[in-house]
Amino acid sequence: MAVIEQEARTAHEVAHRESFWRRYVFSLDHKVIGIQYLVTSFVMALVGGLLAMLMRLELGWPGSSWPLLGRILPQGFPNGIMNQGFYLSLVTMHGTIMIFYVMSTALTGGFGNFLIPLQIGARDMAFPLLNMLSYWLFPVASAVLLAAFFVPGGAPISGWTAYAPLSATPLAGPGEGLGQTLWLVSLAILIVAFLFGSLNYITTVLQLRTRGMSMMRLPLSTWALFITAILSLLSFPVLLAAAIMLLFDRHAGTTFFLPAGAVIGGKTITAGGGDPLLWQHLFWFLGHPEVYILVLPAMGIVSEVISNNARKPVFGYPVMVLTISAIAFLSFLVWGHHMFVSGMHPMLGTAFMTTTLIIAVPSAIKTFNWLATLWGGKLRFTPAMLFAIGFVSLFVTGGLTGLLLGQPAFNMYVHDTYFVVAHFHFVMASAALFGMFAGLYHWFPKMFGRMLDERLGRWHFWLALPATFGTFFPMHFAGLAGMMRRIYSPQMYGYLSGLSGVNAFVSVSAFVMFVAHMLFVVNVVWSLAKGKRAEANPWQATSLEWTTSSPPPHGNWGERQPVVYRWAYDYSLPGSDRDFVPQTVPAEVAAPAAVQGGQ
Amino acid sequence: MEHPGAEAPEVQAHARHGVAVAVLVWAVTAAAVVATVVATKHWWLPPVASTQGMAIDRLFLVVFSIISVVFVLVHLLLGFTAMRFRQTSAAQRAAHWHENRRLEAGWTIATAGILIVLTIFGGSLWLQVHGSPPSGAMTVEVVAQQFGWQFHYPGPDGVLAPVDLTRDSFRSPLGIQRAERGAADDVITNELHLVVNRPVRLLIRSKDVIHSFYVPHFRFKQDAVPGRVTQVWFTPTRTGTYPIACAELCGVGHFVMASTLKVETPDQFEAWMASPGTR
């Protein structure tokens, strides 16, 4: 537990002493809570990643026998061959875990907690106790979710979207009994955690900024996390309500989502008034903003990392803030693009198409701004920078296919095919993951006081980027050829038989990608033990977190909180002798006008 | 400091890695382009067989061309910045500019312009696809259930008898009461047969959970939602046999929920309708 030793050493220097439990387990310190969120998310990522590997095993070589897995997982692989119900529970749990229990928790819970107080010059979050509760709901929710694998019937098979009526009655299939109930309860618990967190972030950013830290001086990572918190606060309650309504349908005899006259598993629904589309509207009202809950923090992190490693101010800062806000606002108006073929009125399809294509404008502006930030810079290729560049590539690749999917007429063809799987694995899954790695490589020294190994970090990137393209790019072709998602095997369909080579290639690339990301785990373990000690500001960065020690002491700053005199992007300021000017340097020092004749 | 050879190892490393990153980004782009070219021959949209499908394919080609060009340009640019602006000497200094109103307005307007055009094209095609069917259209009811499809034809009298899925049984498929008006000659099948060039109006419903009626060669998909009847139409343009698939996750048998669509000449269709196996 090198993490703990490292923290302990710094904590010694702080005046007041707390017990081990209070400091590292039930901690009120935002930094510890942030790290707890990250570590727990990584454990869940390992689970979610392994589930994906099992899926790829089936899809690459459908119906093959894997005797070893048959021995390890006799329920899922009777006689060594994966069973269909187990495949669908992998689909469901992989999506659920990766979206809610890895990306959301790591990016907002992890980076949000760690970065916000440090970047705004606060000593902690506004509500530390609420913060601790927010974290502790996360492992509880995770345990409830994973328990679904071990109950009779197994984990739910209805996908991460849990469309009713498949998810609304135990008669609809295996896993739709206790497994689905646990899924819903777990999600409800996690949503409460997100809400606690969001309230905290919003209050902290609005109330606890240090002297001189106006909103328009905030680093873009904090801006992104702040807007994301607002987005979470407004959208997650809708899913919470939907989850509770679905629990009522399942256990209290209500029929919010069950239509009269449906006959499921031999049982006729008699009570009227329910509509399966209501679930979809409620689900996607969160589900779409959720995409941006993942990608906005990644965008903020990437803006930060690119500017720092280009040694150049971020291009178009006010527009960056504006586009984050615009994307967040528009994300509430596009949910219907998931429902073009659902039976929703076609006129609504036109409206949602329009809002969907509008949201491409701020997204494109952000991409141009990153390129303009790189243009004319003095680029350093740290692992953080490599992953930030990877983010831009993946985000663009996935974003562009959004223009095809946003066309309802074409969407009719590729909806629920691998084309969609390819699209979102680029634009939000891989891109957000790369953004997260950019952030981890960048702030790891601040978190743990040790440098990550650069060479291993570069290897991680060099393997991960091609493997990510190798995994998800060919999925476009499978989708264009008409391969449905969430099918256990495409062998039923003659027209898909030409895809077996593509599917096997995707699987092999996915395995390489998994190994590549494992390099990060190796790097973390090695660096915590043996890594070079980090100085306060190893990247010559400007924002406030780099003005305190690595890791920062309890309370973040010494006697006095820092005072801010400038924005977070004074890189390569003309007239300044160094190529960065921290936010704490008074305006008269290193200001172009003041130093012209001097120095 | 003036001589490149005298740079610190750290700076030399950044200079090297900049080239490497550019090469990687370009290589990935080139691989993506080559793979796509190969894919157009082997793993592409299956041959189209409906009028709506042809219009959708045209829209696809337009949008696909635009995004392909943007994909390549952005990646070329990304690789170029890595190469051109990599740190090569310790004395090098980055530029300080961070605003350019004209440039920003330019790319915003250009992007918005392209998207407005796409919105107009896409919106009109969508409304066309979902317009009301021509008067001569034949009507077929499509009923989905875990894990198969049934097709309900009105028979010679042209009257589609009401279905009652709560009374669906082996003796009265789809719960149709044969004594009811117009029900005696109704035909229920497991395969969908259509007449070439004759528009067809489908009434899509589900008995249990959500399914999705998917005909890849028609570029057509529509969810079957229990509790509602969704009306859609299209016109098959080529005779042949085409697969029907379920595209919405509907349970463990989702992957086997297939059927067959046969597009036939009017004579073939009538013969099939009249054959004892169909009745």
Side-chain angles (χ1 to χ4, degrees):
Chain A
M1 288 306 324
V3 189
I4 288 168
E5 281 170 23
Q6 181 58 40
E7 285 279 334
R9 230 170 274 130
T10 23
H12 267 293
E13 292 142 29
V14 180
H16 59 264
R17 292 184 57 88
E18 287 169 320
S19 73
F20 168 83
W21 286 92
R22 197 69 187 148
R23 189 173 298 138
Y24 302 113
V25 184
F26 298 104
S27 175
L28 298 178
D29 184 339
H30 72 99
K31 300 186 290 297
V32 177
I33 294 171
I35 291 165
Q36 286 175 323
Y37 255 116
L38 284 173
V39 171
T40 315
S41 303
F42 256 87
V43 173
M44 291 303 277
L46 203 61
V47 176
L50 284 171
L51 299 184
M53 294 304 108
L54 291 178
M55 284 159 66
R56 282 320 314 179
L57 213 52
E58 169 59 30
L59 287 168
W61 302 273
S64 297
S65 176
W66 312 93
L68 184 64
L69 287 168
R71 252 187 259 160
I72 304 168
L73 299 163
Q75 304 265 306
F77 288 82
N79 305 319
I81 299 169
M82 188 186 289
N83 96 23
Q84 296 104 12
F86 185 67
Y87 176 78
L88 291 179
S89 56
L90 294 177
V91 171
T92 305
M93 297 294 264
H94 166 70
T96 308
I97 289 175
M98 288 307 199
I99 290 170
F100 294 113
Y101 296 75
V102 176
M103 306 307 293
S104 308
T105 48
L107 284 162
T108 56
F111 286 104
N113 269 306
F114 186 82
L115 285 184
I116 290 174
L118 280 169
Q119 290 201 328
I120 67 171
R123 292 200 182 277
D124 208 313
M125 284 285 177
F127 312 113
L129 187 66
L130 198 65
N131 214 14
M132 181 186 85
L133 285 177
S134 159
Y135 168 70
W136 277 103
L137 288 173
F138 173 31
V140 172
S142 304
V144 173
L145 183 76
L146 295 178
F149 272 119
F150 304 99
V151 297
I157 60 163
S158 59
W160 81 280
T161 51
Y163 275 11
L166 186 58
S167 60
T169 156
L171 299 168
E176 291 311 300
L178 188 51
Q180 185 76 61
T181 300
L182 287 172
W183 186 92
L184 283 164
V185 169
S186 166
L187 205 57
I189 298 171
L190 190 70
I191 291 171
V192 175
F194 286 142
L195 295 181
F196 284 175
S198 305
L199 279 171
N200 223 339
Y201 306 155
I202 295 169
T203 316
T204 305
V205 170
L206 290 179
Q207 297 293 331
L208 297 186
R209 297 191 314 276
T210 189
R211 204 140 58 82
M213 182 60 95
S214 63
M215 289 301 277
M216 291 312 275
R217 282 177 176 172
L218 285 176
L220 284 174
S221 39
T222 291
W223 255 117
L225 289 162
F226 172 64
I227 298 287
T228 303
I230 298 174
L231 204 52
S232 299
L233 191 65
L234 296 178
S235 60
F236 267 116
V238 178
L239 183 63
L240 182 59
I244 292 169
M245 286 159 80
L246 190 50
L247 280 170
F248 270 72
D249 270 13
R250 296 172 56 82
H251 298 289
T254 59
T255 54
F256 292 111
F257 309 119
L258 288 165
V263 186
I264 305 168
K267 191 170 163 261
T268 304
I269 313 295
T270 47
D275 187 349
L277 287 198
L278 175 61
W279 169 265
Q280 296 184 24
H281 282 294
L282 293 173
F283 181 86
W284 288 116
F285 188 82
L286 158 93
H288 202 82
E290 170 66 22
V291 170
Y292 294 97
I293 289 171
L294 304 190
V295 89
L296 285 178
M299 286 174 164
I301 288 168
V302 162
S303 306
E304 201 84 354
V305 168
I306 285 184
S307 176
N308 172 256
N309 285 292
R311 315 308 293 163
K312 190 160 161 284
V314 78
F315 183 86
Y317 175 88
V319 177
M320 286 300 233
V321 173
L322 196 70
T323 47
I324 294 174
S325 314
I327 289 173
F329 174 73
L330 287 168
S331 78
F332 283 110
L333 306 176
V334 300
W335 81 88
H337 70 214
H338 297 270
M339 300 170 60
F340 286 140
V341 299
S342 66
M344 177 178 80
H345 195 286
M347 283 306 282
L348 279 175
T350 321
F352 282 118
M353 171 196 71
T354 310
T355 51
T356 301
L357 294 183
I358 292 174
I359 209 169
V361 176
S363 310
I365 293 174
K366 293 197 85 73
T367 305
F368 293 135
N369 283 2
W370 290 317
L371 289 171
T373 307
L374 290 169
W375 196 270
K378 180 179 74 171
L379 309 189
R380 296 174 175 176
F381 297 94
T382 60
M385 180 65 153
L386 296 177
F387 276 94
I389 289 173
F391 170 92
V392 175
S393 164
L394 297 171
F395 179 73
V396 167
T397 307
L400 285 171
T401 52
L403 296 184
L404 273 171
L405 286 164
Q407 293 287 348
F410 182 70
N411 184 285
M412 197 160 69
Y413 176 56
V414 282
H415 177 77
D416 266 329
T417 68
Y418 267 84
F419 196 81
V420 178
V421 178
H423 162 73
F424 71 76
H425 275 94
F426 268 106
V427 77
M428 72 145 180
S430 302
L433 188 69
F434 271 54
M436 189 174 96
F437 279 125
L440 287 168
Y441 280 105
H442 192 67
W443 280 292
F444 186 90
K446 187 54 61 183
M447 290 175 183
F448 300 103
R450 300 265 190 182
M451 302 299 283
L452 279 171
D453 186 69
E454 288 225 4
R455 182 183 292 258
L456 211 49
R458 276 197 297 271
W459 270 106
H460 175 194
F461 172 78
W462 276 93
L463 278 175
L465 187 76
T468 303
F469 267 90
T471 304
F472 300 116
F473 205 81
M475 285 186 184
H476 292 122
F477 309 143
L480 287 177
M483 182 172 163
M484 293 76 72
R485 62 192 286 209
R486 295 166 168 176
I487 52 170
Y488 165 75
S489 157
Q491 286 170 328
M492 266 302 282
Y493 298 96
Y495 76 101
L496 297 177
S497 59
L499 290 171
S500 56
V502 175
N503 286 329
F505 178 83
V506 166
S507 293
V508 172
S509 303
F511 301 150
V512 174
M513 181 167 67
F514 186 82
V515 172
H517 290 319
M518 283 303 108
L519 287 184
F520 180 77
V521 178
V522 172
N523 199 346
V524 167
V525 172
W526 188 87
S527 300
L528 283 176
K530 297 263 169 88
K532 207 169 68 176
R533 290 230 176 272
E535 39 189 300
N537 191 2
W539 313 124
Q540 296 88 42
T542 52
S543 46
L544 288 184
E545 74 272 28
W546 304 105
T547 61
T548 180
S549 59
S550 299
H554 196 82
N556 296 346
W557 324 100
E559 297 268 294
R560 294 175 54 199
Q561 280 169 261
V563 179
V564 169
Y565 296 95
R566 57 183 71 238
W567 73 329
Y569 299 100
D570 265 340
Y571 287 106
S572 305
L573 194 63
S576 154
D577 51 347
R578 289 186 305 177
D579 69 354
F580 70 106
V581 185
Q583 287 187 278
T584 48
V585 174
E588 49 282 9
V589 185
V595 288
Q596 233 151 32
Q599 300 184 3
Chain B
M1 287 302 231
E2 300 288 307
H3 312 288
E7 293 295 343
E10 197 180 296
V11 175
Q12 285 179 11
H14 286 306
R16 243 186 1 256
H17 296 140
V19 177
V21 167
V23 171
L24 177 69
V25 169
W26 290 335
V28 165
T29 313
V33 171
V34 170
T36 307
V37 171
V38 173
T40 56
K41 297 278 177 292
H42 300 283
W43 316 297
W44 211 243
L45 302 105
V48 66
S50 74
T51 43
Q52 284 80 355
M54 287 183 237
I56 289 169
D57 282 8
R58 279 193 296 274
L59 176 73
F60 165 73
L61 268 183
V62 172
V63 183
F64 180 76
S65 310
I66 296 173
I67 65 173
S68 300
V69 170
V70 177
F71 171 79
V72 171
L73 284 183
V74 170
H75 277 83
L76 285 181
L77 202 59
L78 191 62
F80 177 78
T81 53
M83 175 81 83
R84 168 73 180 74
F85 300 108
R86 69 193 200 276
Q87 180 177 10
T88 48
S89 81
Q92 186 183 340
R93 190 121 182 157
H96 184 72
W97 47 263
H98 49 81
E99 296 288 341
N100 186 334
R101 292 269 178 262
R102 191 172 293 183
L103 192 63
E104 292 177 79
W107 64 47
T108 306
I109 291 166
T111 313
I114 293 174
L115 292 171
I116 287 168
V117 173
L118 290 184
T119 307
I120 293 166
F121 274 141
S124 55
L125 179 58
W126 175 244
L127 292 177
Q128 191 188 320
V129 166
H130 276 276
S132 44
S135 53
M138 67 189 261
T139 298
V140 186
E141 193 162 40
V142 178
V143 181
Q145 62 176 303
Q146 289 178 332
F147 298 97
W149 302 95
Q150 280 164 297
F151 306 97
H152 175 202
Y153 292 83
D157 65 357
V159 178
L160 208 56
V163 303
D164 178 359
L165 296 174
T166 60
R167 294 160 82 182
D168 179 32
S169 69
F170 183 70
R171 277 169 174 277
S172 60
L174 306 184
I176 291 172
Q177 304 304 304
R178 290 292 177 183
E180 279 189 53
R181 192 179 67 83
D185 63 345
D186 281 22
V187 173
I188 298 160
T189 65
N190 293 319
E191 268 187 4
L192 179 60
H193 286 232
L194 298 174
V195 181
V196 68
N197 292 327
R198 184 167 169 196
V200 58
R201 183 171 74 113
L202 296 180
L203 302 173
I204 299 179
R205 48 166 94 215
S206 165
K207 180 180 173 181
D208 38 44
V209 300
I210 300 177
H211 305 272
S212 194
F213 181 78
Y214 180 33
V215 188
H217 295 75
F218 287 17
R219 313 291 183 256
F220 178 81
K221 186 180 291 126
Q222 183 65 51
D223 284 5
V225 183
R228 78 171 54 209
V229 182
T230 311
Q231 176 187 291
V232 285
W233 72 277
F234 50 71
T235 311
T237 52
R238 280 188 11 196
T239 54
T241 305
Y242 305 102
I244 293 171
C246 176
E248 180 66 67
L249 175 55
C250 59
V252 282
H254 171 50
F255 76 110
V256 294
M257 192 167 158
S259 183
T260 303
L261 165 59
K262 287 200 170 127
V263 179
E264 300 169 320
T265 61
D267 293 348
Q268 287 170 327
F269 179 78
E270 292 307 328
W272 172 74
M273 258 293 157
S275 70
T278 310
R279 291 242 143 225

